[in-house]
Amino acid sequence: MLEIMKNIDWSPLFISLKTGILATIFAFFLGVAAARMIMRLNNTAKVVVDGILTLPLVLPPTVAGFFLLLLFSLRRPFGKFLMTQFDIKIVQTWPGCVIAALVIAFPLMYRNARAAFEQVDVNVIYAGRTLGMSERKIFWKIVVPMAGPGLASGTVLAFARAIGEYGATSMLAGNILGKTRTVSVAIASEVAAGNWDVAGFWVCVIVMISFVIVALINFVSGKNIKNVNRWM
């Protein structure tokens, strides 16, 4: 194991971590905004929009990657427009890693945020309106803090999903060492090349990261349960 650590290229870990962090930041704000927006819709619109936003969670990641490839390919109108007008290329680049991870991780953040918002006591919101607070202030000063544990769990889950993403990432960003090869892509590549020791090392790394993430989720959930029991 020590010999492997001396000779290994650590770039997949760094790429995975920075991809996961950036994708999680975007997923947090987009997920919170989407959850807030959908709470204002009527039941029919809510079912349709919720289904669309949740779709990447149930689709195979390769299907999501296929749609992203269709969207951002230089042979397609939008991808060609980004390249010609802004000199932005998504396919086989690190931004492609971030976008793929964001698309796959977003539903987890959105679903957790929505569930957390639905558990907020509406009487507290009415009290805030009675005191003359604006809707924006009520949301950030009352709703978000009360939904904090759910938002925290969603953030951790989104990060876990982002750093472990493989299917959509491999299709959109490819497998370029030092550029787009994440830990998940590296595991598949090393197994295909017959380098089982290196693949096993990366498996150990991702298992340890996953264990830390699960521990964080349990910590957040346990803290919330402890507070509820204390209140009861």
Side-chain angles (χ1 to χ4, degrees):
M1 181 65 73
L2 292 176
E3 188 65 26
I4 295 175
M5 293 179 64
K6 291 179 181 179
N7 299 324
I8 201 164
D9 183 353
W10 290 93
S11 62
L13 178 60
F14 299 139
I15 292 172
S16 293
L17 290 176
K18 68 179 184 179
T19 298
I21 291 171
L22 190 57
T24 303
I25 292 173
F26 282 118
F28 176 84
F29 289 104
L30 291 175
V32 168
R36 183 186 183 189
M37 177 264 304
I38 204 167
M39 298 294 289
R40 302 175 176 177
L41 300 179
N42 59 53
N43 290 334
T44 302
K46 186 180 294 186
V47 170
V48 175
V49 176
D50 180 78
I52 294 173
L53 296 178
T54 310
L55 202 57
L57 185 64
V58 296
L59 284 175
T62 49
V63 175
F66 176 78
F67 284 120
L68 289 173
L69 200 56
L70 285 180
L71 179 64
F72 292 108
S73 173
L74 295 180
R75 297 181 180 180
R76 301 293 173 175
F78 185 64
K80 187 181 298 184
F81 171 76
L82 290 178
M83 188 63 184
T84 56
Q85 298 298 320
F86 303 102
D87 195 28
I88 296 176
K89 181 183 177 183
I90 301 300
V91 179
Q92 293 188 337
T93 63
W94 179 68
C97 292
V98 178
I99 292 174
L102 170 61
V103 169
I104 300 301
F106 166 80
L108 287 171
M109 185 67 234
Y110 157 70
R111 297 294 297 184
N112 277 268
R114 180 183 172 185
F117 291 157
E118 289 176 344
Q119 294 177 5
V120 174
D121 189 353
V122 294
N123 292 319
V124 181
I125 298 176
Y126 294 150
R129 291 172 179 169
T130 302
L131 295 173
M133 297 175 67
S134 65
E135 292 298 320
R136 181 184 295 272
K137 195 171 184 179
I138 289 174
F139 179 75
W140 289 108
K141 296 291 185 180
I142 296 178
V143 177
V144 169
M146 293 185 68
L151 296 179
S153 296
T155 302
V156 176
L157 285 172
F159 176 74
R161 191 66 186 87
I163 64 170
E165 163 52 28
Y166 169 72
T169 301
S170 61
M171 292 194 68
L172 182 63
N175 179 16
I176 305 174
L177 182 61
K179 189 176 180 181
T180 65
R181 180 179 290 186
T182 60
V183 171
S184 297
V185 176
I187 292 172
S189 299
E190 298 298 344
V191 169
N195 299 324
W196 289 86
D197 291 341
V198 178
F201 171 79
W202 285 123
V203 167
C204 293
V205 170
I206 205 69
V207 166
M208 287 188 292
I209 293 175
S210 300
F211 178 80
V212 171
I213 289 171
V214 171
L216 285 174
I217 294 174
N218 290 335
F219 174 77
V220 172
S221 301
K223 187 176 180 181
N224 188 37
I225 293 173
K226 184 177 179 180
N227 291 335
V228 171
N229 291 336
R230 184 180 301 171
W231 177 79
M232 294 177 66

